[in-house]
Amino acid sequence: MIRKLGKLILDEMPDGIVITTINGIVIYWNKGAESIFGYTEAEAVQRQVDELIGTSDCQTWTVKNSLKDFSHKGVHVQEALCRRKDGGLIHADISTKVLSIEQQQDELVLFSSKDITLLKALRDAKLISTKFGDLLDSTPDGIVIVNSTGRMVLVNTQAQKLFGYDASELLGQPVEALLPHRYRSMHVGHRAGYVAHSHTRIMGAGLELFGLRKDGVEFPVEISLSPVRTDEGVFSMSAIRDTSERKKAEQKFRDLLESAPDAVVIVNEKGEIVLVNSQTEKLFSYPREELLGKKIEVLIPSRFKARHPSFREKFTAAPRTRPMGAGLELYGLRRNGTEFPVEISLSPLETEEGKFVYSAIRDVSERKRAAELHTQLRRDLTEREIAEKALFEEKERLRVTLSCIGDAVITTDVAGNVTYLNPVAEDMTGWTSQEANGLPLPEVFQIANAQTNEPVPNPIEKVLRDKENVSLTPNTVLIQRGGKTFPIEDSAAPIRDQHGEIMGAVLVFHDVTHAQKMAMAMTYQATHDALTGLINRHEFERRLELALQTGKQDSKEHTLLYVDLDQFKVVNDSCGHIAGDELLKQLTGVLQAKLRGSDTLARLGGDEFGVLLEGCPTGPAVRIAELLRQTVHEFRFTWDGKIFPLGASIGLVTFSDGEETLSDVLRMADAVCFLAKDKGRNRVQVYTAEDKGLAKRRGEMGWVGRIQQALEEHRFVLYTQKILRLSENGGGDHYEVLLRMKGEDGILVPPMAFIPAAERYGLMPQLDRWVIATAFAQYAERHPSGSAPGICSINLSGTSICDESLYEFLLEQFNLHKVPPAGICFEITETSAISNLIQANLLIGKLKDLGCRLSLDDFGSGMSSFTYLKHLPVDYLKIDGGFVKDMISDPIDRAMVEAINHIGHVMKIETIAEFVENDAILEALRGIGVDYAQGYGIERPRPKGPGEV
């Protein structure tokens, strides 16, 4: 009864519930799963779950491999990209749990899934809009970006106009909403195939495509596709162009062909006939369907067919207009095999579908017979008449050519008066060719400097004067007849007759408005921070470099403020990066309002800002810096009902004499900003060369290079110091390895000379790894097979504790050197452990599982030592040497040693006393019951071998 009730509940649950064997074979499939994935229970049961819903590029689940991990992880939750029965992709939130059933040996797996496709699409929409929204709104085509499930995540303004929707109506919806109903079902499969093998597909690509507007009207479109790869995954971007007008134009073109008096044949680059008119059918006696797709040679007599393909290929390689006749004796071949004389004109035709050849064919049988009758009359034609005819034809070809090109063209005579404007020039100048004919060019072509509005010299005058080609000066605008202006680029050249004499000039120009807008947008993006709108680091450094030059030339004082926000990480860590971004945007506006008009505020990266105060000496600059610090301190950021206070550490550097370089000024500003943080944060620190804090920081910075060089030159060595067991039963060798560095002269450098610099500048993880690798390599030499086991203690810094990759490195070293984990003890200082308690606990847990020992160093130095000790499962407590070295003369120190030893033993932790410098201390420790002792009174640190000193 209970089982039936359980099955009934599972059947009616809205979530997709699937139960499989441990090998992924489906044994239960509820209605919710059928709703989400499209398979009925009968279709799904006894099939692999991967086979049903896995994607082609990466399996959603690989049951045989991944389920092995689920048994000890409880419920496993993940977002996955899944495939439906119809081939469509969805995003699902999937929970997985391994079920153990009584009286059944094999385990089962329960999958619970929810369709989060729409939710994922809305998240993707927000991400994509932030990255690309503003830029894509400036494109002329409609842009639609979809995620891997085909849900729309960005629709630009042009696409909204094109389809009649608002963006809010489309975001998160399947892209099939923009397709006619007859295409939608098969498009889902095409889309899924494209996602699996995404590639760029150019506009058109020979496909007949249609879109569907909101009002239900279909319209022809051309579409280009390209993948957009981001950190969040791969999206598909489609540029959509309405081809309604072009289709109308093509139909109009076909109508014109049908009304043409001559036969018209259009062939492609392969010589195949792609279009003929009704006159062609009549002339050659072929039905249209029989000609389409055939080679053009089908219409040519047999004696010419062999040579014609080579002539056709030459024409295709160097296309040119050939007028009707052109002096060639040509013949056509009808379907019945009869030949007849023809005249043919050829014109190259370029479209988005490719290159074609347009040929007009005229039957000249009657004219040829008439010509034979009038041969005598034609002999009387003068050379002048022939030349005039040829000239007219040439002019007509030129007029047609100029009417078809996209640039504006104006021609003049030798006096600079207008003789012709093509349609584009008519549109841009506001003059018709007829109105402008005979007028001086400056009256029709009025140009001025875009910045000064002063007239620009007439380029035609320069061409006619200098008799050479010229280009227009930059930043030139054309003033239209009605007063509208266009930024233009142009060139002008002389027109010469057959003798080389100048007979006029030609001016070619085009509108560059869109190109300039795109260039300005790209320039802005290259110099500004996308989040805050402030100038970015690159532009700020350029302006700072310019200020360095003017300071030297004009003897002006300028000041640089280096601002680092305090407590910003708290907002990021507790509320997420979205909150952090909002904080930066709000604070930017507040800071900008406090600066002068001549000041420059920039975001240098993360939570760091730069302020350039030009013409501002130290005194006023300090007041401005203090104002900014106070403004940040008083600013309160609110997020989800929580209020976050902030602070600002500001480094101030004034420069004027030009002796400093850009890197010098930035380095000094960064140094004093860091010093402001060292001195308590939320303060202004002014740079002075005599500042002791800066001198110390510069000294530490100098150690960075020396440490790196010592690593490269292998000048680090390991020393060891014995840890003595104080009880009778002795035990194996126990010692601590200590890092030492040799100077360039071979003399040992004290550890406290370079360790603080290494800690401050993040070099300790690198040094810790060197120590680990070297100590592991030496372990086998010190403890050969068959000898008593030993314990080697190795110190770990606080930064290494937080290094997530350290554990993997340790595993590699253990495997490489075959060191037993029980022979290694890692020492962590109490301060580092408490400061990084969570990370320390995680690392200690992993190392203990591996078999290593752990020691808590300098115990007792912290204010809450005993409170934290119970959270750290260590093997040894090293009693801070500050208590040990004076315990003979100071009863309080002795009491501390006794207390630490007692609490350690209560917790089953052995104790080690540091700084044991004489026999009196050693005997006192034995009396108290301390387990181990270490110090100069037992053994001074020494190298591994005599040759290493």
Side-chain angles (χ1 to χ4, degrees), residues 482-511:
K484 186 178 179 181
T485 60
F486 303 92
I488 62 169
E489 292 178 352
D490 81 347
S491 61
I495 301 175
R496 303 178 186 272
D497 61 16
Q498 65 270 33
H499 304 296
E501 296 296 325
I502 292 179
M503 52 186 291
V506 60
L507 177 69
V508 181
F509 56 97
H510 60 275
D511 185 356

Side-chain angles (χ1 to χ4, degrees), residues 686-891:
V686 180
Y687 177 84
T688 58
E690 298 79 15
D691 193 302
K692 292 182 179 179
L694 287 176
K696 178 184 177 184
R697 179 166 164 77
R698 284 195 297 271
E700 290 178 344
M701 291 173 68
W703 274 107
V704 174
R706 294 183 64 186
I707 292 171
Q708 291 286 11
Q709 187 176 0
L711 281 169
E712 293 173 3
E713 296 176 358
H714 307 290
R715 287 192 278 108
F716 280 100
V717 294
L718 289 185
Y719 274 48
T720 64
Q721 186 177 35
K722 184 178 183 62
I723 299 175
L724 178 67
R725 174 174 278 277
L726 301 183
S727 62
E728 295 292 336
N729 52 4
D733 189 15
H734 194 168
Y735 58 95
E736 179 181 355
V737 292
L738 304 170
L739 180 64
R740 297 292 186 264
M741 185 178 97
K742 293 180 181 178
E744 292 82 351
D745 55 2
I747 303 299
L748 284 180
V749 178
M752 293 312 296
F754 66 87
I755 291 295
E759 290 176 336
R760 181 182 291 274
Y761 293 103
L763 297 178
M764 282 309 299
Q766 189 176 359
L767 292 180
D768 284 349
R769 293 190 179 211
W770 183 91
V771 171
I772 291 168
T774 306
F776 277 30
Q778 295 175 0
Y779 187 89
E781 299 177 21
R782 182 159 182 151
H783 305 282
S785 178
S787 63
I791 299 176
C792 172
S793 290
I794 301 174
N795 289 281
L796 290 180
S797 64
T799 47
S800 288
I801 294 172
C802 299
D803 184 355
E804 295 181 355
S805 64
L806 175 65
Y807 182 70
E808 296 299 328
F809 173 78
L810 289 171
L811 290 179
E812 291 176 4
Q813 295 302 310
F814 275 118
N815 291 331
L816 177 64
H817 299 288
K818 309 302 180 185
V819 174
I824 299 298
C825 177
F826 290 104
E827 293 193 9
I828 302 172
T829 66
E830 176 195 352
T831 305
S832 297
I834 293 174
S835 300
N836 307 283
L837 188 60
I838 295 176
Q839 294 93 332
N841 251 324
L842 288 173
L843 181 62
I844 290 174
K846 290 180 179 179
L847 294 176
K848 292 283 285 182
D849 291 343
L850 195 62
C852 299
R853 303 172 190 244
L854 276 300
S855 176
L856 194 59
D857 200 4
D858 297 335
F859 187 78
S861 60
M863 297 297 293
S864 305
S865 302
F866 296 115
T867 302
Y868 287 104
L869 180 58
K870 60 185 178 181
H871 298 295
L872 298 169
V874 297
D875 299 282
Y876 303 102
L877 287 184
K878 297 193 78 171
I879 304 170
D880 188 271
F883 302 125
V884 176
K885 64 186 179 68
D886 295 325
M887 63 179 288
I888 299 300
S889 58
D890 190 330

Side-chain angles (χ1 to χ4, degrees), residues 53-118:
I53 65 175
T55 57
S56 59
D57 56 334
C58 61
Q59 291 292 322
T60 305
W61 298 310
T62 306
V63 175
K64 293 181 180 178
N65 295 327
S66 61
L67 287 184
K68 296 175 183 177
D69 299 330
F70 294 160
S71 58
H72 65 275
K73 292 185 178 178
V75 178
H76 180 80
V77 182
Q78 67 180 36
E79 284 188 11
L81 184 66
C82 301
R83 174 171 53 82
R84 285 176 49 84
K85 179 182 177 181
D86 60 7
L89 300 178
I90 63 170
H91 280 284
D93 187 85
I94 299 176
S95 302
T96 312
K97 178 165 181 63
V98 175
L99 305 175
S100 297
I101 300 176
E102 295 180 2
Q103 299 178 352
Q104 183 168 326
Q105 182 177 0
D106 294 333
E107 296 177 318
L108 301 179
V109 184
L110 172 67
F111 297 95
S112 176
S113 55
K114 293 182 180 180
D115 188 345
I116 60 168
T117 304
L118 179 59

